[in-house]
Amino acid sequence: MAVLKVRRYGDPILRRRARDIEAVTPEIRRLVDDMIDTMYDEVGIGLAAPQVGTSLRLMVVGDEEGRGAQALVNPAISEQGGTVTAEEGCLSLPGIFADVTRAQWVRLEAQDLEGRPVAITARGLRARVFQHEIDHLDGVLFIDRLDPVTRDRIKRRIKKEGFAEDVGHRAFAL
Ligand code: NI
């Protein structure tokens, strides 16, 4: 088990569409262990494989108390409803936070590490984490979902100041 380096905004892997996983190999199991270590080290509650440099459709999510962690293989949202706006951050954009509007609830379908189908209906923070991480698998970052004025302001700030570590805020990063 190891803590991996989290790729930051500007790294082209974050903009690529990740590939489906055809079989869970020992390498993928090792990657999951490392992703869980990395997520907890970064005080994140979700992490997608492209964020640690592997372009595969794989994500790990923590529970809201930060104890358990679950790996989801080839996740997809099959149903969603409502809209809700809340502040969001991303481990790949440290120190950047903005209000993002997303579906209020989602039904996520995926496989577990044994290849068994998993379906989870989630609302609240967990629904937000699922949507944020699936975006990562499609090469989408949360700043892409902001209005153009806010997005440009954030991009200019990153260009000028780089990333600041905003420790007090990190628990919200995905
Ligand atoms: Ni993120």
Side-chain angles (χ1 to χ4, degrees):
M1 307 246 276
V3 172
L4 305 172
K5 183 175 180 290
V6 176
R7 305 295 181 96
R8 290 186 168 187
Y9 173 76
D11 189 315
I13 200 165
L14 295 174
R15 291 312 201 172
R16 213 176 289 158
R17 187 177 193 282
R19 292 188 320 277
D20 282 330
I21 292 177
E22 278 160 33
V24 175
T25 59
E27 288 74 25
I28 289 176
R29 286 176 187 279
R30 202 148 44 224
L31 174 63
V32 166
D33 288 342
D34 291 345
M35 284 173 65
I36 291 169
D37 281 357
T38 305
M39 176 174 72
Y40 286 138
D41 183 67
E42 296 275 354
V43 205
I45 48 176
L47 188 69
Q51 290 183 278
V52 290
T54 300
S55 195
L56 289 174
R57 301 189 82 77
L58 171 68
M59 63 193 229
V60 295
V61 291
D63 63 22
E64 292 183 22
E65 290 81 44
R67 287 195 301 260
Q70 185 174 22
L72 296 163
V73 173
N74 300 330
I77 288 168
S78 57
E79 280 180 75
Q80 62 180 57
T83 57
V84 62
T85 301
E87 190 180 57
E88 210 166 301
C90 178
L91 296 174
S92 297
L93 290 116
I96 306 292
F97 297 89
D99 282 348
V100 183
T101 301
R102 295 196 184 265
Q104 192 175 31
W105 65 268
V106 299
R107 180 179 163 86
L108 176 136
E109 296 187 23
Q111 289 114 48
D112 66 14
L113 292 176
E114 277 68 52
R116 291 181 298 239
V118 180
I120 307 166
T121 301
R123 53 184 62 245
L125 180 60
R126 199 163 170 81
R128 181 166 295 274
V129 173
F130 287 163
Q131 293 170 82
H132 180 112
E133 302 312 336
I134 287 177
D135 271 355
H136 273 304
L137 304 182
D138 293 330
V140 174
L141 298 170
F142 82 92
I143 57 170
D144 302 336
R145 298 200 174 274
L146 305 177
D147 68 86
V149 173
T150 307
R151 184 169 56 238
D152 288 349
R153 182 166 47 74
I154 288 173
K155 285 184 174 175
R156 277 200 307 275
R157 182 182 143 194
I158 294 169
K159 215 167 177 181
K160 199 166 146 230
E161 300 169 23
F163 291 113
E165 298 298 336
D166 189 346
V167 176
H169 244 119
R170 291 177 89 196
F172 292 100
L174 312 167

